[in-house]
Amino acid sequence: MSLFTYIIDLPQKSAQTGSITAKTEHEAREQISQKYPEGQHLLLEAQAALNSAPVQKAVKKATKKAAKKAAKKVVAKGLSKLERYLYLQHGRCFFCGEKLRLEDASVEHLNPVSKGGTRTEDNEVACCATVNHTFGDMDLKRKFEFVLKSSSDFKCPRVKGKASTAVVPEKLLLAATPENHGLAWSEKEEKQLLSRYQQDMEIEAIAQRHKRGVGAIRARLVKLGQIEEMNQT
């Protein structure tokens, strides 16, 4: 029996090292293959040769590769689409340029999905949820015509008495864009929204029921003339 040491690269995991006893190198490879069927790039050496330069180089390469994979997974899972757009826009609304809190932001499709627009980066920006819902399914030409006519005086609609505070994503904690984000409101859904709000249900809870963002719920309540009236009472 001989003692062999091995280094094997595992998909989506760090490189695995260990030792195994076998009569021959071929037998050792078969045992390792059975233990790690998903393994790749197996390096098998006698124990005395473990500290050799080629093996050390292979260890460093495998470790570096695993670290890169882990880093990519963190970035991919960390930021939601809305957080990423806000970060790239320096925490400001695409249209008015004002500093924007994540909870008041929304992903705007420049060319509406209902008019053939795509849900891709070249057609999406982060903006105030209020202007998103004010624009509705307005086409791209009308949106920019509206903004340009306002020149430097353009401001997105604001909820009365609510200040805007800058928030650029710092922690990777928030969930992805809500399922119904950007979809048009039906008459039935508006009635449900009014009923829930008038029953003093929390806005966060309403947002979960409608599968929309908190900012989107507030924007719709403003449009329906409810937030001012309810806040004053």
Side-chain angles (χ1 to χ4, degrees), residues 20 24-36 42 44:
I20 191 170
T24 64
E25 180 178 333
H26 177 71
E27 182 178 314
R29 288 183 178 276
E30 287 186 342
Q31 290 185 38
I32 295 170
S33 296
Q34 291 176 2
K35 186 175 182 180
Y36 304 107
L42 170 63
L44 187 65

Side-chain angles (χ1 to χ4, degrees), residues 67-113:
K68 285 184 178 180
K69 285 184 178 179
K72 287 181 180 179
K73 287 176 68 178
V74 169
V75 172
K77 293 183 178 180
L79 292 176
S80 68
K81 179 184 289 188
L82 180 56
E83 287 176 301
R84 183 156 47 86
Y85 290 163
L86 264 183
Y87 174 76
L88 294 175
Q89 292 171 205
H90 304 285
R92 295 178 180 273
C93 172
F94 179 82
F95 294 104
C96 69
E98 294 291 328
K99 293 181 178 179
L100 182 60
R101 301 193 308 180
L102 187 61
E103 65 184 70
D104 296 324
S106 180
V107 174
E108 164 76 4
H109 296 93
L110 297 175
N111 184 27
V113 176

Side-chain angles (χ1 to χ4, degrees), residues 3 9-10 18 23 36 50 70 76 87 90 107 129 143 167 174 186:
L3 179 65
D9 191 13
L10 302 179
K23 292 181 179 180
Y36 304 107
L50 181 61
Y87 174 76
H90 304 285
V107 174
K143 288 177 185 176
V167 171
L174 297 179
S186 65

Side-chain angles (χ1 to χ4, degrees), residues 116-177:
T118 60
R119 297 181 184 274
T120 55
E121 289 188 25
D122 59 352
N123 189 50
E124 296 177 332
V125 297
C127 68
C128 299
T130 51
V131 78
N132 182 326
H133 289 275
T134 299
F135 282 157
D137 63 350
M138 186 184 295
D139 61 43
L140 182 60
K141 179 180 178 181
R142 289 179 61 202
K143 288 177 185 176
F144 279 94
E145 182 181 28
F146 179 79
V147 174
L148 291 173
K149 282 185 177 180
S150 302
S151 188
S152 59
D153 296 328
F154 176 79
K155 299 291 182 184
C156 292
R158 298 291 176 190
V159 177
K160 186 175 180 181
K162 188 175 181 62
S164 178
T165 305
V167 171
V168 176
E170 294 180 354
K171 295 184 178 179
L172 313 180
L173 297 175
L174 297 179
T177 303

